[in-house]
Amino acid sequence: MEKNQLNVEYVVVHSLYYCCVFLLEIDLKLSKYILLLIVVIAGMASAQDRLTEHTYSLAKDAPMGKGKLADVAWLVGSWQGTAFGSQFEEVWNPASAGSMMGMWKLYDSEKGVNFYELLLLKEQSEGLVLLVKHFSADFVAWEDKADFVTFRLVKVEENAVHFSGLSFYKSEPDKIDGYIVMTQKDGSKTEHKIAYERVK
């Protein structure tokens, strides 16, 4: 009887031991996953730093934020407003074939046109990107023939889209507050507001 009792105790003790070891291994694995998650989140946070009050920056070697043209469908339409002390007109066509085309004109009612822009929003495998090409009032391209300015997507929110150095906030159904960051000659960065109102 005592021998059988000892055998039972032996089995119970060893069973508890292996259960503890198993649980410890699970805890270690969970700890590793939690640590990995913390590292990933920290990396994302550092890659998506706040640039100015309303904009973000994306590190050159960081992956772009995930987004679709459907996320920015509220940009579609005709807009007008003020920017850089002048007036502007902007038009976005609906998405088709994986891209959205837009046009911008900055002008002064007395001095005439300051410059034009052709805008292209494209879905790429790595994310959403905004390409911009500038033209003078005489429609001479600022950039070289094959060049353009690239704004890489940082993140999409319910009523906002953030590219590196450029953000759009839908404040009302027919109003958008845009913010762009300009680099000055001394290397400092300044934020400029672009106030949109939908043309009805």
Side-chain angles (χ1 to χ4, degrees), residues 31 33 72 88 169 189 191:
S31 297
Y33 286 124
V72 293
F88 75 85
Y169 296 83
K189 298 183 184 299
E191 178 184 278

Side-chain angles (χ1 to χ4, degrees), residues 7-163:
N7 287 337
V8 170
E9 290 176 352
Y10 176 83
V11 171
V12 170
V13 169
H14 275 72
S15 297
L16 289 172
Y17 169 77
Y18 285 115
C19 284
C20 290
V21 171
F22 176 71
L23 290 173
L24 181 60
E25 288 180 351
I26 291 177
D27 284 344
L28 287 173
K29 289 180 180 179
L30 285 174
S31 297
K32 289 179 181 178
Y33 286 124
I34 292 171
L35 180 61
L36 179 61
L37 182 61
I38 291 172
V39 170
V40 170
I41 292 173
M44 290 175 62
S46 63
Q48 302 176 2
D49 290 334
R50 177 78 72 167
L51 184 58
T52 59
E53 182 180 356
H54 299 95
T55 67
Y56 295 82
S57 65
L58 186 66
K60 290 183 179 180
D61 57 347
M64 287 194 295
K66 298 299 180 183
K68 299 289 185 181
L69 292 174
D71 297 326
V72 293
W74 43 271
L75 288 174
V76 172
S78 297
W79 304 86
Q80 64 183 11
T82 57
F84 309 110
S86 297
Q87 297 171 282
F88 75 85
E89 297 172 357
E90 182 170 324
V91 178
W92 280 102
N93 291 334
S96 61
S99 66
M100 278 174 57
M101 281 295 300
M103 296 167 286
W104 154 287
K105 179 174 74 174
L106 186 71
Y107 66 97
D108 183 280
S109 56
E110 296 181 359
K111 298 179 181 179
V113 174
N114 293 324
F115 64 88
Y116 303 97
E117 290 179 348
L118 286 180
L119 314 167
L120 178 63
L121 272 166
K122 288 180 61 179
E123 286 183 0
Q124 298 182 340
S125 57
E126 63 270 27
L128 196 64
V129 65
L130 171 62
L131 309 178
V132 181
K133 200 166 182 69
H134 300 82
F135 298 85
S136 69
D138 297 323
F139 211 62
V140 176
W142 290 4
E143 296 84 13
D144 291 336
K145 185 176 181 180
D147 289 341
F148 42 79
V149 178
T150 302
F151 293 93
R152 300 169 66 227
L153 182 67
V154 177
K155 62 180 178 178
V156 173
E157 297 177 325
E158 183 177 357
N159 290 307
V161 55
H162 303 281
F163 297 92

